[in-house]
C-alpha cells in the first residue's frame, strides 16, 4: 500500500539553527500539506501546496517557514531560525484530487526538538 | 480559523460497550467532515468521512447535523484495539483544503 514517508524521524537542533524536514508524498498525489502538533495539543494546519505553489497557509506559517518541491518526489519544510516553541511533531500529508472528501494521507511525522 | 470542540475525555469503557463521541464546529461554512483516529505519538489516520445522511462502517456510525453544527461518532461492541484518541476534523473548502482538527477525545477500552 502506498504511503507517505518522512525523514528524519527525530531532529534535535539548537535554537537559531535552520532545519529542513523532508517528505515523500504518495506518488500520484497532487496536493501536499504540512501540519504540526505540539505535545498534548491539537494538530494544526501550516500550509498546503499545489501545482508548485502555496495554495493556503495559516498564521503559524510566517516568514521563518518555507516549503519546496525540489524534484518530482520530495516535499520539504524549512524553518530558517528555529525557536523553542517550534518544538513539535511535524506531519506531512498528501491527497489525490480536488474532491473535498478525498482522504489526506499522513506520514509518520518528524519530531523536532529545539534546545 | 474557527474552532472544533470535543469533550477530551478520557472515556474508559469495558470491552463490548457502546460509546458515543460528540463534536461541535463553529464555522457554518464548513463543508467536509471526518473522524480521524490517532494512536499515541503516531500520525492521524482517517477512520471515516461523515456524510449529511449519516453513514456506517461496520461497528462505527457517524452522524452530521448541519443545523446544529454537530457531529457524532458511535462505536458499538468496543474492542481493546479501539483504544486511541478520536479526532473530529472539519474542512472549510477554500483554495487549500486544509483540515481543522479538534483536540480529540481519548478512549480506553478495558478487558
Amino acid at each position: 500500500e502506498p504511503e507517505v514517508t518522512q525523514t528524519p524521524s527525530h531532529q534535535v537542533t539548537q535554537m537559531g539553527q535552520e532545519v529542513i524536514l523532508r517528505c515523500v508524498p504518495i506518488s500520484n498525489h497532487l496536493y501536499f500539506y504540512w501540519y504540526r502538533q505540539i505535545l498534548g495539543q491539537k494538530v494544526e494546519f501550516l500550509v498546503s501546496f499545489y501545482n508548485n505553489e502555496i495554495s493556503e497557509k495559516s498564521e503559524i506559517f510566517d516568514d521563518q517557514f518555507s516549503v519546496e518541491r525540489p524534484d518530482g518526489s520530495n516535499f520539504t519544510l524549512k524553518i530558517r531560525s528555529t525557536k523553542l516553541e517550534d518544538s513539535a511533531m511535524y506531519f506531512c500529508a498528501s491527497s489525490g484530487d480536488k474532491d473535498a472528501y478525498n482522504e489526506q494521507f499522513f506520514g509518520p511525522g518528524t519530531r523536532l526538538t529545539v534546545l | 480559523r474557527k474552532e472544533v470542540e470535543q469533550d477530551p475525555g478520557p472515556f474508559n469503557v469495558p470491552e463490548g460497550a457502546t460509546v458515543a463521541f460528540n463534536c461541535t464546529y463553529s464555522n457554518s461554512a464548513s463543508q467536509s467532515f471526518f473522524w480521524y483516529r490517532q494512536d499515541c505519538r503516531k500520525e492521524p489516520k482517517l477512520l471515516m468521512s461523515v456524510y449529511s445522511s449519516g453513514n456506517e462502517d461496520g461497528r462505527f456510525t457517524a452522524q452530521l447535523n448541519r443545523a446544529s453544527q454537530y457531529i457524532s461518532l458511535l462505536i458499538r461492541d468496543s474492542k481493546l484495539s479501539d483504544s486511541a484518541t478520536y479526532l473530529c476534523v472539519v474542512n472549510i473548502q477554500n483554495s487549500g483544503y486544509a483540515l481543522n482538527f479538534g483536540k480529540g477525545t481519548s478512549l480506553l477500552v478495558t478487558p
Side-chain angles (χ1 to χ4, degrees), chain A residues 31 33 35 37 39 41-45 48 55-59 89 91 98-109 111, chain B residues 1 3 31-34 36 38 41-44 46 49-52 66 87 91 93-103:
Chain A
Y31 291 81
Y33 311 83
Y35 293 83
Q37 187 175 30
L39 189 63
Q41 298 191 24
K42 67 178 183 178
V43 177
E44 300 174 288
F45 167 74
S48 58
S55 46
E56 187 187 5
K57 59 183 181 180
S58 72
E59 58 274 11
M89 180 74 94
F91 293 109
K98 291 182 179 179
D99 182 349
Y101 281 91
N102 193 264
E103 178 179 358
Q104 289 188 23
F105 292 80
F106 283 74
R111 180 165 298 283
Chain B
R1 189 174 296 278
E3 294 294 323
Q31 296 198 341
S32 307
F33 310 90
F34 311 90
Y36 274 71
Q38 186 174 30
R41 294 180 174 261
K42 300 284 190 180
E43 72 273 24
L46 181 67
S49 301
V50 186
Y51 302 112
S52 296
R66 285 185 185 268
L87 310 176
N91 167 256
Q93 189 168 349
N94 48 29
S95 60
Y97 301 94
L99 298 179
N100 189 8
F101 285 77
K103 287 186 178 181

Side-chain angles (χ1 to χ4, degrees), chain A residues 79-93:
Chain A
I79 309 175
R80 276 184 252 287
S81 178
T82 50
K83 304 191 262 300
L84 295 176
E85 55 264 37
D86 293 327
S87 294
M89 180 74 94
Y90 288 80
F91 293 109
C92 173

Side-chain angles (χ1 to χ4, degrees), chain A residues 1-110:
Chain A
E1 184 178 322
E3 59 183 19
V4 177
T5 59
Q6 291 186 241
T7 54
S9 57
H10 191 188
Q11 174 88 49
V12 181
T13 191
Q14 295 290 326
M15 191 169 57
Q17 295 297 304
E18 175 184 286
V19 294
I20 298 176
L21 310 183
R22 304 182 191 280
C23 168
V24 179
I26 294 172
S27 62
N28 62 342
H29 281 184
L30 303 175
Y31 291 81
F32 314 113
Y33 311 83
W34 284 101
Y35 293 83
R36 78 171 186 191
Q37 187 175 30
I38 295 170
L39 189 63
Q41 298 191 24
K42 67 178 183 178
V43 177
E44 300 174 288
F45 167 74
L46 293 178
V47 66
S48 58
F49 192 86
Y50 170 71
N51 200 25
N52 284 318
E53 61 182 22
I54 290 173
S55 46
E56 187 187 5
K57 59 183 181 180
S58 72
E59 58 274 11
I60 301 168
F61 194 88
D62 61 22
D63 291 344
Q64 293 300 310
F65 292 87
S66 62
V67 289
E68 194 179 29
R69 188 157 162 82
D71 52 43
S73 59
N74 290 283
F75 180 51
T76 62
L77 174 70
K78 182 192 288 186
I79 309 175
R80 276 184 252 287
S81 178
T82 50
K83 304 191 262 300
L84 295 176
E85 55 264 37
D86 293 327
S87 294
M89 180 74 94
Y90 288 80
F91 293 109
C92 173
S94 68
S95 65
D97 59 38
K98 291 182 179 179
D99 182 349
Y101 281 91
N102 193 264
E103 178 179 358
Q104 289 188 23
F105 292 80
F106 283 74
T110 293

